[in-house]
Amino acid sequence: MMRTLCTYAKGDPGSVMLPREAGILPGLVFHLRRSAVLRTSGSSPDRTCFFRLLASTLDTFSSLVMVQPTLIGYQPGGGSGRPLPLEPPSILPDRVLLLDSFTQLVICKGAALALAARSPGSPAAAEVEQLARRVRSDAEALGAERFPAPTLIECDQGSSKARYLAQKVNPDVPLSTFLQGLYRAIAE
């Protein structure tokens, strides 16, 4: 399919060009292969069936969130959150992240913010608490519209619950490596 969409010079992976309309397709395929909708390893047959049935009954946007989670970053003093790529450099010590994978909402405080929050009475702790309330409010607004209701997980960077965020942000094979292999296969 990619060969019919792309223009390329045979044998030159660097020459692969996708039309603008299909620009998100490789990333979507990358995340689809990693999503619970297709992946069966490490899941029970019931869990696999649940995700497949859920994906088939959702609207397009919700299905896309289930396949490719969204990551929103919030910083102290900043306005509203801004979308971030699902990549390790998005995790910073001075940022609160909200990961939305449709069935889970993960709020993760960066290490510096988590440390500041543990200093009661300090101005930094009050600012971090205000930021955490704003992120929690956004997460609750997302979860209020969904059925089944997503699980809300709150954690600090480096804690055991941060594995839920790390699982989505740290893929086994990075997107760049996947794209290189895809372009090589197209050009051959």
Side-chain angles (χ1 to χ4, degrees):
M1 179 177 85
M2 291 295 289
R3 283 187 178 153
T4 59
L5 291 174
C6 298
T7 56
Y8 59 93
K10 189 155 179 76
D12 182 12
S15 69
V16 175
M17 296 292 292
L18 278 168
R20 206 183 81 187
E21 299 82 19
I24 65 166
L25 190 58
L28 188 62
V29 169
F30 172 76
H31 288 288
L32 180 64
R33 291 182 60 207
R34 297 184 65 232
S35 75
V37 176
L38 288 186
R39 183 169 270 191
T40 58
S41 61
S43 294
S44 70
D46 290 342
R47 187 168 173 82
T48 302
C49 183
F50 167 76
F51 281 113
R52 289 183 179 173
L53 181 63
L54 183 61
S56 69
T57 60
L58 295 174
D59 60 59
T60 304
F61 180 75
S62 298
S63 295
L64 286 173
V65 168
M66 205 169 146
V67 168
Q68 182 174 350
T70 59
L71 185 64
I72 302 170
Y74 299 81
Q75 290 187 297
S80 60
R82 64 183 191 116
L84 298 171
L86 281 171
E87 296 176 359
S90 297
I91 302 173
L92 295 176
D94 64 339
R95 184 182 281 164
V96 177
L97 298 173
L98 172 59
L99 176 77
D100 178 8
S101 65
F102 194 81
T103 57
Q104 291 178 331
L105 295 169
V106 181
I107 299 172
C108 186
K109 281 187 240 153
L113 295 179
L115 183 63
R118 283 188 232 122
S119 306
S122 73
E127 187 178 8
V128 169
E129 183 54 38
Q130 180 183 5
L131 180 63
R133 273 197 304 271
R134 190 172 65 199
V135 176
R136 206 173 297 118
S137 166
D138 288 353
E140 288 169 358
L142 284 170
E145 304 168 356
R146 300 215 176 127
F147 181 80
T151 306
L152 181 63
I153 300 166
E154 294 190 49
C155 62
D156 297 337
Q157 183 180 358
S159 69
S160 65
K161 286 186 178 179
R163 70 183 183 275
Y164 295 108
L165 175 68
Q167 172 196 12
K168 301 292 184 187
V169 174
N170 294 331
D172 307 342
V173 177
L175 178 60
S176 58
T177 306
F178 173 78
L179 290 176
Q180 288 172 357
L182 177 66
Y183 294 160
R184 209 174 13 257
I186 290 170
E188 289 177 354

